[in-house]
Amino acid sequence: MSPETAKSQETKARLLEGALRTLTEQGIAKTSARTVAAAAGVNQALVFYHFGSVDELLAAACRYGAEQAVARYRERLAEIGSLSELLTIGREIHERERAGGHVALLGQLLAGAPTHPGLGPATAAGLDLWITEIEQVLRRVLAATPFGEFTDPAGLARAVAASFVGIELYEGVDEAGAGAALAALEQLGALVAAVESLGPVAQRAVRHQLRRRAQ
């Protein structure tokens, strides 16, 4: 790797980090080549040299931020053994990401999507990274329960992700209500855990009832 290539990669990383920081701290309305370059500590001409436009930089920053976030929790997610544990860890992730400003960042990305065409697909791609991880957990933990054959892990993963996105945005206007919503999800997880703890005979009875209702 030549020094030029290494320097170029470093500059791009600084611009991506600068874009995320600017979105979080100043909002989409004040995010420009000038403000991002100032946050990154580089000349604003480098925004266009490396990314072509501010919109392309923001889209790349969105994907970059999601990749970094998912990587932070991938090992924890791989260790989850039950749906209730998934919801508990989901709440922990929510609290950490909110404290780090990432909930505010998501709000800015969604707010900017209508006027910045590249942000919508990039935000969706970032959410898909989370959905993929959640789906893997659901396939694993539901397979050993009476619910395994009656659920769609892919659709359920999107429902879980959408729920947390909605709660994150809702939290900005009603923090107590958002907390109640998270608590309700955890209660649902506790109900599922109760079924998971049943013996083989009771679980067969649950499966039988679910099959009857599915017909």
Side-chain angles (χ1 to χ4, degrees):
M1 180 182 295
S2 67
E4 291 78 14
T5 301
K7 184 176 180 180
S8 175
Q9 290 182 340
E10 179 186 355
T11 300
K12 290 177 70 174
R14 290 174 65 178
L15 284 167
L16 292 169
E17 295 285 355
L20 293 173
R21 190 159 59 251
T22 303
L23 282 168
T24 302
E25 296 174 357
Q26 301 188 44
I28 188 71
K30 294 184 179 180
T31 298
S32 65
R34 181 182 61 79
T35 56
V36 170
V42 301
N43 189 296
Q44 73 180 65
L46 292 174
V47 170
F48 304 99
Y49 175 79
H50 287 291
F51 295 97
S53 70
V54 174
D55 279 2
E56 287 296 324
L57 168 58
L58 294 181
C62 177
R63 292 189 292 269
Y64 172 81
E67 289 166 358
Q68 296 292 308
V70 171
R72 284 195 293 272
Y73 301 107
R74 184 169 282 120
E75 288 187 6
R76 289 287 307 280
L77 292 170
E79 296 171 352
I80 290 174
S82 68
L83 182 59
S84 57
E85 189 179 352
L86 171 61
L87 293 171
T88 299
I89 291 179
R91 185 162 191 168
E92 178 186 325
I93 291 173
H94 168 81
E95 295 298 332
R96 289 186 178 180
E97 294 299 290
R98 180 181 64 173
H102 300 112
V103 172
L105 172 61
L106 177 59
Q108 290 301 319
L109 291 172
L110 293 173
T115 54
H116 295 73
L119 281 188
T123 302
L127 290 173
D128 276 343
L129 294 176
W130 283 108
I131 290 167
T132 296
E133 296 295 328
I134 295 169
E135 182 181 344
Q136 290 176 357
V137 174
L138 290 172
R139 288 189 183 279
R140 184 174 69 251
V141 302
L142 290 176
T145 74
F147 306 108
E149 65 182 278
F150 305 101
T151 56
D152 171 21
L156 188 55
R158 292 187 178 279
V160 170
S163 295
F164 274 92
V165 169
I167 288 170
E168 288 171 352
L169 298 178
Y170 182 35
E171 191 170 43
V173 295
D174 184 357
E175 186 172 354
L182 283 169
L185 285 175
E186 288 180 349
Q187 290 170 356
L188 178 61
L191 292 174
V192 174
V195 174
E196 290 174 344
S197 67
L198 296 174
V201 174
Q203 288 205 17
R204 282 197 296 271
V206 172
R207 285 192 178 92
H208 177 70
Q209 288 298 322
L210 289 173
R211 291 190 184 108
R212 288 185 60 186
R213 292 181 177 276
Q215 291 175 351

